[in-house]
Amino acid sequence: MGHPLVRLDGVSKAYGKIVAVHPLTLDIFRGDFVAVLGPSGCGKTTLLNMLAGFVLPDSGRIEIDGRDVSHVGPDRRPTNMVFQGYALFPHMTVRQNIAYGLRIRNYPKQEIDERVGEMVDLVHLGGLERRAVTEISGGQQQRVALARALIMRPDVLLLDEPLAALDLKLRNSMQQELRRIHQSIGGTFVFVTHDQNEAMGLANRIAVMRDGLLVQEGSPEEIYSTPRTQFVSNFIGEANVLPGRRTSGVVVLDAGTAFPSKGSDGTVATVVRPEAMSLTKLDGAPIEDGKVVMQGTVRDAVFLGSRMKYVVEVPGNAITVYTPPSGRSDRFAMDNKVDVVWNMVDQRVLDTE
Amino acid sequence: MGHPLVRLDGVSKAYGKIVAVHPLTLDIFRGDFVAVLGPSGCGKTTLLNMLAGFVLPDSGRIEIDGRDVSHVGPDRRPTNMVFQGYALFPHMTVRQNIAYGLRIRNYPKQEIDERVGEMVDLVHLGGLERRAVTEISGGQQQRVALARALIMRPDVLLLDEPLAALDLKLRNSMQQELRRIHQSIGGTFVFVTHDQNEAMGLANRIAVMRDGLLVQEGSPEEIYSTPRTQFVSNFIGEANVLPGRRTSGVVVLDAGTAFPSKGSDGTVATVVRPEAMSLTKLDGAPIEDGKVVMQGTVRDAVFLGSRMKYVVEVPGNAITVYTPPSGRSDRFAMDNKVDVVWNMVDQRVLDTE
Amino acid sequence: MTPAIRSRGWLALPYLTVYLLVFVAPLLYFFVISFWRVRLFRLMPDASLANYAKTLEAHSVSLIFTFEIAFTIAVIVTTLAFVFAYVVRFKAGRYGTPLLFVVLIALFGGYLTKIYVWKTILGQAGVINSALGLLGIVNEPITFLLYNPVAVVITLSHYTLPLAILPIYGALRSIEDMPLRAARDLGASRFRVVWDVVLPQCRVGILIAFSLCLIFAAGDFVTPLLIGGPYTSMIGKLIQLQFGFHGDAAMGSAMAFTVIGICLVVIFMVGTLIFTVFRVR
Amino acid sequence: MTPAIRSRGWLALPYLTVYLLVFVAPLLYFFVISFWRVRLFRLMPDASLANYAKTLEAHSVSLIFTFEIAFTIAVIVTTLAFVFAYVVRFKAGRYGTPLLFVVLIALFGGYLTKIYVWKTILGQAGVINSALGLLGIVNEPITFLLYNPVAVVITLSHYTLPLAILPIYGALRSIEDMPLRAARDLGASRFRVVWDVVLPQCRVGILIAFSLCLIFAAGDFVTPLLIGGPYTSMIGKLIQLQFGFHGDAAMGSAMAFTVIGICLVVIFMVGTLIFTVFRVR
């Protein structure tokens, strides 16, 4: 990969006494599609605004393509943004919106026409050029916002919760669309989101933030399968977190089961994904090697189409289990006792203090 | 079940020349949790407003608990509504909002206090009674709206897109909450939504609407596994719809495969759920009985945590396949040839005209 | 630019302060003068309440009369304005905006014109007398229509109505529709909805409308002069005499600030009343 | 109640029409009168344009002068109002609302008071002369400050500023923040953002502000009377004479409607200009 396109080096920002972003270091490489993921108030939007130039960092250094832009205004940075809610110019047509950035730079009319044409093709807006942006649908507005930023050929395209305002069906198709556009122009995209599905579905790298700190950074697979903290495991996908204690290489869970686990003595949290668990009735049958079993009571069973969702009460906890859908006959009924089983390789034991 | 609590009998509504709801008949039984599901503009909101009394039907009859309420105003119907966006009284506290309906009816102060207390407990709002509703979170506002309607002990509780304004995490927990409340008070709930996940996760009966018509009605399982039309199959869950033609008991798909299927000759659409398909490399191995195989090219592969999503190009179509997550090694790479396999029992062949 | 960065609001403050000073300072200067004295036709600095004492002593009848009229106008106009704004906001749908534009245009369709309109309608040779004469109801023109307090109330109400509509409409516009539906759904009659949900949310707008009408009516001197007749001795006329004929700016200022002071007291009382009656229960 | 049911807006229309008729009818009556004639001090129905012809003939100098002044005031005030409203909307953050409240209160802080404030400041014994005298710059009070068109412009500008701020602020308030950021992000300077994004979106508000100032300044007669001096012969004074001294309501109406007509023409032209300059490209 070589030299990173964007370097954030010890960048921080505080508003009065409230620290939005603690000193943070992050490299973004050319061609990356990076998600900055975190709950609201985690500092991700401030981070994006610092990349765009709307917020100047209190300390640290922001480099884009080798140039220090820490104190350069948004109008003179090689970044462009797709704003949350799109921020289209409501008094302009689709075409006028897309062309605005080039008009500012006094490009000749012919070149503007050409590049607007390219963009309209890229985002599939053909035929809508003369429509007012207030008259088109949410999905189309989203495309206009994208075209308006991409026409500037930015070194880095920034996106603020790009799919948040769309409904489910549209979100899925726009997600595929964004991946296609990213691949076809080969650009570098950075977006912030609080929706882990969006992050997983779009990005090749995810940076998880919490309380102004960068908690973990890596590929979606790394973050999903080896979350570094309980917070990450809960935030990326659903997770059952089972508290327990390790004594001389054996973890005893509060929920009433035990398994061997190397590590120092102390309290631990065992994280298991709902889809890694299965429900069964052992009726005293022996446990297979490498599996963990726990007894519980079914408290809720919901048919979700592609899967069943069970809520199972275990001592001190209520856990969620997803199983493949099944006929009415082999379902576990409400308030019945069941055994919850999972493979030890699918769990992750985190030391807690 | 006996006599239905709510009877809609040939109810219709037009605005000028635009028909919002064509004559529609629907029974709702005591204790039901009914979802009216459809895309925007399908007439579901008009239907809900007719139940609430905000819109009077042009024709037909609405009965609640045996009483004809077709022309009774919203203030004198035994229904209460949880509005989209909550519609709380912004100038009142949480307690004042919840108590408003009882105050209108001039209940004695003591009884109001008692019932507000019950509601606050039911929806877990303890300690927030004196807060302004503008100062509490979206999830809490949702609970206030629910309590404000439930305190009236309505025969039917109506909910308009109850979870649409909440973010994903909150939506999941509120969904569980609503199920719990429905079970604990044993009421009859009717809600409209455009989100099939919401409908599946909450309701025990789903009514699918399209263009002012009731298309299909039944349990979530019925609708998911035996959709009556292409529209329903696409709207409830994701579906791959493969066009083809049946000639003398054999369906030949445009995508390049064939299987036996009883029925009259003509064009058909074969619907297969993405999670019912799997990807493999047969390399000329024979096909098992009862399975269908189709060749395609992988065009996109996304890791989504609990599953992998593949987009596979087959002749004339791009289909989606969900498979369990797997290590990097046994994934299918972009632009590789694969075989898409599914069981014939998991497909549904619909005659199209 | 960087708008909507809340924490930087104070940056604009010094700038706006200068703006307001230039804009408000002349009035402040007058306030200072009101404690001065005039000797030999020249203003002499002082810090005396004598002007105020004299105002209350010599003009109490006129002040009371003025505020009776102004209060009547403010109550009538605020009520009419609420009804109009309510209908435009909640009933007129897409006709609302053009209707409001008409109101805005009529807002300053001409102060003078409006005065003379009423003078002509109510006058001896005016519309009402002509109609009565043609119908044979009266033989001679009736004269009691004009040059009395009622004529002043009619004229000033006509003039201030648009002023009162705008703030109330503004307040109504920020009221959302759905909570009104929710109130209906919970069993409230149409009237209860207005009383419980609409009015408590536009108390500030109503108070502003009332204040504008009151201040305007109490301070006006042209209408009483042209239309009020000799017995409508409103304070505005006397203030004008003090500045003009007597040339005593100190006394005139004191009288003007007495009017403003009484206005503020009345507004405070009416505000308390509105906030109590339309309180949230 | 059932608000927000769009298709039923027309139900409110007859009701509002009645309201507007009661409210606008008096002005219409005057419009009719303007085609009548006065014979022997009585109004006689007629359909003649004679009054209008006479207005243009006899008062053209005064009309031109009036509109020079009114136009100047409208331009100055609209500009100042835009700057103030812009700062309040985009820079003042949470101080915006209280600031606007001050403006609203000052809106009718008293017409009369404002006139006399300026009369006192600019007059022979006023603040400026006192200051100049104390500093020894002049020996005798300078008199050219008052009783001239400039004094009228200052006074009326001071009075109409709040009127102009409100519609512009209203227009600015409905402009969203984020598109301004987007423009910056696309390379626009702060000035370009105002020119390309803000101004085109508040053209209507600016035109309303301009119109209010123009109509008010053109129709006013009190300020020229008290502060304008003998050579500031604005048309308002003449209209008042026509109604009052001459008692010719027909002629007075014709003059008033001539003023209104010219106002509409000027507003139309300025509107066209604003919509062309701040057009969307």
Side-chain angles (χ1 to χ4, degrees):
Chain A
M1 292 222 182
H3 201 73
L5 178 65
V6 180
R7 286 205 101 125
L8 294 168
D9 187 6
V11 167
S12 74
K13 180 72 199 176
Y15 295 107
K17 291 194 170 171
I18 299 153
V19 180
V21 175
H22 290 279
L24 178 151
T25 298
L26 180 70
D27 286 351
I28 296 167
F29 292 87
R30 204 176 288 277
D32 267 352
F33 202 145
V34 178
V36 179
L37 176 66
S40 60
C42 73
K44 59 185 191 297
T45 304
T46 303
L47 185 68
L48 197 76
N49 280 328
M50 286 196 287
L51 276 171
F54 289 116
V55 173
L56 300 183
D58 293 340
S59 73
R61 188 181 154 83
I62 301 173
E63 248 177 49
I64 299 179
D65 209 8
R67 176 177 155 228
D68 181 356
V69 296
S70 313
H71 294 89
V72 172
D75 50 335
R76 284 171 298 119
R77 284 202 192 188
T79 58
N80 284 106
M81 182 116 128
V82 176
F83 291 83
Q84 191 175 13
Y86 320 135
L88 300 180
F89 305 125
H91 57 300
M92 297 187 189
T93 63
V94 169
R95 192 191 174 288
Q96 286 168 335
N97 263 278
I98 298 174
Y100 184 74
L102 298 183
R103 243 191 54 222
I104 290 276
R105 305 248 156 112
N106 292 316
Y107 275 67
K109 193 181 170 313
Q110 201 196 332
E111 185 170 357
I112 294 182
D113 286 347
E114 225 166 74
R115 279 170 67 170
V116 169
E118 278 169 25
M119 278 301 136
V120 165
D121 290 346
L122 181 71
V123 301
H124 302 320
L125 277 172
L128 295 177
E129 293 94 329
R130 307 204 158 269
R131 296 275 280 280
V133 290
T134 47
E135 285 170 7
I136 59 178
S137 73
Q140 288 164 344
Q141 289 181 350
Q142 161 82 284
R143 285 154 198 270
V144 175
L146 198 59
R148 186 180 64 174
L150 282 177
I151 203 170
M152 304 307 290
R153 297 178 182 160
D155 282 353
V156 188
L157 180 75
L158 307 172
L159 304 101
D160 189 1
E161 305 268 3
L163 307 178
L166 304 176
D167 70 23
L168 189 80
K169 289 267 152 183
L170 216 52
R171 212 179 304 162
N172 282 337
S173 73
M174 201 61 211
Q175 206 162 302
Q176 221 155 308
E177 192 78 4
L178 268 176
R179 290 171 64 87
R180 177 185 64 78
I181 290 169
H182 176 250
Q183 278 162 22
S184 81
I185 66 170
T188 308
F189 290 11
V190 178
F191 72 107
V192 302
T193 181
H194 66 272
D195 181 347
Q196 51 104 0
N197 286 318
E198 212 168 297
M200 305 271 271
L202 286 172
N204 68 334
R205 284 175 73 221
I206 297 179
V208 184
M209 285 189 73
R210 185 195 191 183
D211 296 339
L213 291 164
L214 186 63
V215 184
Q216 189 169 359
E217 195 254 310
S219 71
E221 289 88 339
E222 276 165 32
I223 290 186
Y224 188 82
S225 52
T226 57
R228 200 174 289 161
T229 69
Q230 267 191 58
F231 169 78
V232 175
S233 68
N234 260 318
F235 204 78
I236 314 288
E238 287 178 79
N240 294 303
V241 178
L242 301 160
R245 166 168 279 281
R246 178 161 46 210
T247 325
S248 5
V250 174
V251 166
V252 180
L253 296 184
D254 300 355
T257 188
F259 51 82
S261 159
K262 285 176 191 155
S264 54
D265 291 4
T267 55
V268 295
T270 302
V271 178
V272 192
R273 299 284 175 193
E275 72 272 10
M277 288 174 155
S278 59
L279 298 186
T280 183
K281 286 238 178 202
L282 289 174
D283 289 328
I287 306 159
E288 284 174 61
D289 263 10
K291 295 215 171 190
V292 183
V293 178
M294 192 165 66
Q295 291 197 314
T297 312
V298 175
R299 288 294 179 220
D300 201 7
V302 192
F303 174 79
L304 292 177
S306 60
R307 56 192 182 180
M308 285 291 302
K309 174 184 179 177
Y310 289 97
V311 177
V312 180
E313 192 184 324
V314 296
N317 220 331
I319 62 171
T320 303
V321 179
Y322 288 129
T323 68
S326 50
R328 270 193 175 279
S329 54
D330 53 333
R331 278 201 202 153
F332 297 92
M334 295 278 269
D335 302 327
N336 273 22
K337 296 269 175 213
V338 285
D339 293 299
V340 183
V341 184
W342 69 91
N343 281 312
M344 277 177 62
V345 293
D346 290 330
Q347 76 188 13
R348 216 175 130 68
V349 183
L350 303 168
D351 291 333
T352 52
E353 251 351 55
Chain B
M1 293 224 181
H3 199 74
L5 178 65
V6 180
R7 284 207 101 124
L8 294 168
D9 188 5
V11 168
S12 75
K13 180 73 199 178
Y15 294 107
K17 291 193 170 173
I18 298 153
V19 180
V21 176
H22 290 279
L24 179 152
T25 298
L26 181 67
D27 287 350
I28 295 167
F29 291 88
R30 203 177 287 279
D32 266 353
F33 201 146
V34 178
V36 180
L37 176 66
S40 61
C42 73
K44 58 184 191 298
T45 304
T46 303
L47 185 68
L48 197 74
N49 280 328
M50 287 198 285
L51 277 172
F54 289 116
V55 173
L56 299 183
D58 292 340
S59 73
R61 186 181 156 85
I62 301 174
E63 248 176 49
I64 298 180
D65 209 7
R67 176 177 155 227
D68 182 355
V69 295
S70 312
H71 294 90
V72 172
D75 48 335
R76 284 170 298 119
R77 283 203 192 188
T79 58
N80 285 105
M81 182 115 129
V82 176
F83 291 83
Q84 191 174 12
Y86 321 134
L88 300 181
F89 306 125
H91 57 300
M92 297 187 189
T93 62
V94 168
R95 192 191 174 286
Q96 285 167 336
N97 264 278
I98 298 175
Y100 184 74
L102 299 183
R103 242 191 55 223
I104 290 275
R105 306 249 156 113
N106 290 317
Y107 275 67
K109 194 180 170 311
Q110 201 195 332
E111 185 168 358
I112 295 182
D113 286 347
E114 225 165 73
R115 279 170 69 171
V116 169
E118 278 169 26
M119 279 302 135
V120 165
D121 289 347
L122 181 71
V123 301
H124 301 322
L125 276 172
L128 295 177
E129 293 94 328
R130 308 205 156 270
R131 295 275 281 279
V133 291
T134 46
E135 285 170 8
I136 59 178
S137 73
Q140 288 164 344
Q141 290 181 349
Q142 162 80 284
R143 287 156 196 268
V144 175
L146 198 59
R148 186 179 65 175
L150 283 177
I151 202 169
M152 306 307 291
R153 296 177 183 161
D155 282 353
V156 187
L157 180 74
L158 308 171
L159 304 101
D160 189 1
E161 304 268 4
L163 308 178
L166 304 176
D167 71 22
L168 189 80
K169 290 265 153 184
L170 217 51
R171 211 180 303 163
N172 283 337
S173 73
M174 201 61 211
Q175 205 163 302
Q176 221 157 309
E177 192 77 5
L178 268 177
R179 290 171 62 87
R180 176 184 65 78
I181 290 169
H182 175 251
Q183 279 161 21
S184 80
I185 65 168
T188 309
F189 290 11
V190 177
F191 73 106
V192 303
T193 182
H194 66 272
D195 181 347
Q196 50 103 358
N197 286 319
E198 212 168 298
M200 305 271 270
L202 285 172
N204 68 334
R205 283 175 72 220
I206 297 179
V208 184
M209 286 188 72
R210 185 194 192 184
D211 295 340
L213 291 165
L214 186 64
V215 184
Q216 188 171 1
E217 195 255 308
S219 71
E221 288 89 339
E222 277 165 31
I223 290 185
Y224 188 82
S225 52
T226 57
R228 201 174 289 161
T229 69
Q230 269 190 59
F231 169 79
V232 175
S233 68
N234 260 317
F235 204 79
I236 314 288
E238 285 179 81
N240 294 303
V241 178
L242 301 160
R245 164 168 280 280
R246 177 162 43 208
T247 326
S248 6
V250 174
V251 168
V252 179
L253 296 184
D254 300 356
T257 188
F259 51 82
S261 158
K262 286 177 192 158
S264 54
D265 289 5
T267 55
V268 297
T270 302
V271 178
V272 193
R273 300 285 175 192
E275 72 272 9
M277 290 174 154
S278 59
L279 298 185
T280 184
K281 287 239 179 202
L282 287 173
D283 290 329
I287 306 160
E288 284 175 61
D289 261 11
K291 294 212 172 193
V292 183
V293 177
M294 191 165 69
Q295 288 196 316
T297 312
V298 174
R299 288 297 178 216
D300 201 7
V302 192
F303 174 79
L304 292 177
S306 60
R307 56 194 183 181
M308 285 291 302
K309 173 184 180 177
Y310 289 98
V311 177
V312 180
E313 193 184 323
V314 296
N317 220 332
I319 61 171
T320 304
V321 179
Y322 287 129
T323 68
S326 49
R328 271 192 174 280
S329 55
D330 53 333
R331 278 201 202 153
F332 298 92
M334 294 279 271
D335 302 327
N336 272 23
K337 297 270 176 213
V338 286
D339 292 299
V340 182
V341 185
W342 68 92
N343 280 313
M344 277 177 61
V345 294
D346 290 331
Q347 77 187 11
R348 216 175 130 69
V349 183
L350 303 169
D351 291 333
T352 53
E353 250 350 58
Chain C
M1 175 68 42
T2 55
I5 298 205
R6 262 145 289 169
S7 54
R8 289 222 258 150
W10 54 268
L11 275 182
L13 210 59
Y15 171 77
L16 287 172
T17 309
V18 171
Y19 219 96
L20 281 177
L21 268 186
V22 170
F23 178 60
V24 173
L27 291 176
L28 281 181
Y29 164 70
F30 242 40
F31 185 64
V32 172
I33 281 193
S34 72
F35 300 99
W36 290 10
R37 282 171 176 281
V38 169
R39 292 243 175 80
L40 301 171
F41 300 101
R42 283 190 74 98
L43 274 167
M44 309 294 283
D46 200 343
S48 144
L49 286 170
N51 292 327
Y52 287 93
K54 206 168 138 196
T55 301
L56 292 177
E57 196 183 315
H59 302 300
S60 60
V61 173
S62 175
L63 278 171
I64 291 171
F65 182 72
T66 300
F67 276 94
E68 279 172 5
I69 299 250
F71 186 81
T72 309
I73 291 170
V75 169
I76 292 174
V77 171
T78 306
T79 310
L80 290 176
F82 179 81
V83 173
F84 185 85
Y86 181 85
V87 171
V88 168
R89 166 67 183 84
F90 289 112
K91 305 283 182 180
R94 63 211 159 88
Y95 300 104
T97 312
L99 272 172
L100 263 176
F101 196 76
V102 170
V103 168
L104 208 62
I105 285 296
L107 180 53
F108 290 89
Y111 180 51
L112 192 62
T113 317
K114 284 190 182 176
I115 288 176
Y116 278 106
V117 161
W118 287 105
K119 195 163 179 171
T120 312
I121 290 175
L122 301 172
Q124 283 193 32
V127 180
I128 292 178
N129 270 315
S130 304
L132 292 175
L134 280 174
L135 294 172
I137 294 172
V138 295
N139 293 327
E140 290 183 23
I142 50 175
T143 52
F144 56 80
L145 292 171
L146 203 59
Y147 303 120
N148 61 31
V150 175
V152 173
V153 169
I154 291 176
T155 307
L156 281 179
S157 295
H158 187 207
Y159 186 64
T160 51
L161 185 58
L163 284 180
I165 288 175
L166 291 180
I168 295 179
Y169 179 76
L172 288 178
R173 212 170 56 157
S174 65
I175 293 180
E176 285 179 66
D177 286 324
M178 294 314 281
L180 310 193
R181 283 198 166 207
R184 288 282 286 152
D185 185 59
L186 291 166
S189 63
R190 282 155 212 271
F191 174 77
R192 276 300 292 258
V193 174
V194 175
W195 191 268
D196 287 345
V197 185
V198 178
L199 283 171
Q201 286 192 75
C202 64
R203 291 179 295 190
V204 172
I206 289 174
L207 187 59
I208 288 176
F210 178 88
S211 308
L212 287 180
C213 294
L214 186 80
I215 292 171
F216 190 84
D220 185 46
F221 81 105
V222 181
T223 308
L225 192 72
L226 293 176
I227 225 168
Y231 301 109
T232 311
S233 82
M234 282 173 75
I235 194 78
K237 277 204 302 201
L238 302 178
I239 296 176
Q240 201 254 343
L241 269 179
Q242 205 60 242
F243 276 110
F245 184 73
H246 299 299
D248 185 344
M251 188 64 201
S253 299
M255 287 165 74
F257 277 97
T258 304
V259 172
I260 291 174
I262 298 176
C263 280
L264 291 179
V265 170
V266 173
I267 290 167
F268 176 78
M269 290 192 307
V270 169
T272 309
L273 186 74
I274 290 175
F275 273 75
T276 309
V277 171
F278 302 123
R279 76 177 176 281
V280 180
R281 266 161 286 233
Chain D
M1 176 67 42
T2 54
I5 297 205
R6 264 145 289 171
S7 54
R8 290 221 257 151
W10 54 269
L11 274 183
L13 210 59
Y15 171 76
L16 286 171
T17 310
V18 171
Y19 220 95
L20 281 177
L21 268 186
V22 169
F23 177 61
V24 173
L27 291 176
L28 280 181
Y29 164 70
F30 241 40
F31 186 64
V32 172
I33 281 192
S34 72
F35 300 99
W36 291 11
R37 280 172 179 281
V38 170
R39 291 243 176 82
L40 301 171
F41 298 101
R42 284 190 72 97
L43 274 167
M44 309 293 283
D46 200 343
S48 143
L49 285 171
N51 292 327
Y52 286 93
K54 206 169 138 197
T55 300
L56 292 177
E57 196 183 316
H59 301 298
S60 59
V61 174
S62 175
L63 278 171
I64 291 169
F65 182 74
T66 300
F67 276 94
E68 279 172 5
I69 299 250
F71 186 80
T72 310
I73 291 169
V75 169
I76 293 174
V77 171
T78 306
T79 310
L80 289 176
F82 178 81
V83 174
F84 184 86
Y86 181 84
V87 172
V88 169
R89 165 67 183 82
F90 290 112
K91 304 284 183 181
R94 62 208 159 90
Y95 301 105
T97 312
L99 272 171
L100 264 175
F101 197 76
V102 171
V103 168
L104 208 62
I105 285 296
L107 180 52
F108 290 91
Y111 181 51
L112 191 63
T113 317
K114 283 189 181 176
I115 289 176
Y116 278 107
V117 162
W118 287 104
K119 197 162 178 172
T120 311
I121 291 176
L122 302 173
Q124 282 194 33
V127 180
I128 294 178
N129 269 316
S130 303
L132 292 176
L134 279 175
L135 295 170
I137 295 170
V138 294
N139 291 326
E140 289 184 22
I142 50 176
T143 52
F144 57 81
L145 291 172
L146 204 58
Y147 305 120
N148 61 30
V150 175
V152 173
V153 169
I154 292 177
T155 306
L156 281 178
S157 296
H158 186 207
Y159 185 64
T160 52
L161 184 58
L163 283 181
I165 289 175
L166 291 180
I168 296 179
Y169 179 77
L172 288 178
R173 211 170 55 156
S174 66
I175 294 178
E176 285 179 65
D177 286 322
M178 295 312 281
L180 310 192
R181 283 199 166 205
R184 287 283 285 153
D185 185 60
L186 291 165
S189 64
R190 283 155 212 271
F191 174 77
R192 278 297 296 256
V193 174
V194 175
W195 191 268
D196 287 345
V197 184
V198 178
L199 283 170
Q201 285 192 74
C202 63
R203 291 179 295 189
V204 172
I206 289 173
L207 187 59
I208 288 177
F210 179 88
S211 308
L212 287 180
C213 294
L214 186 79
I215 292 172
F216 189 84
D220 185 45
F221 81 105
V222 181
T223 308
L225 192 73
L226 293 177
I227 225 167
Y231 301 109
T232 311
S233 84
M234 283 173 72
I235 194 78
K237 277 204 303 199
L238 301 177
I239 296 177
Q240 201 253 344
L241 269 179
Q242 207 57 245
F243 276 110
F245 184 72
H246 298 300
D248 187 343
M251 189 64 201
S253 299
M255 288 165 72
F257 278 96
T258 305
V259 172
I260 291 174
I262 298 175
C263 280
L264 290 179
V265 170
V266 173
I267 290 167
F268 176 78
M269 291 193 306
V270 170
T272 309
L273 185 74
I274 289 175
F275 273 74
T276 310
V277 171
F278 301 122
R279 77 177 175 283
V280 180
R281 267 160 286 230

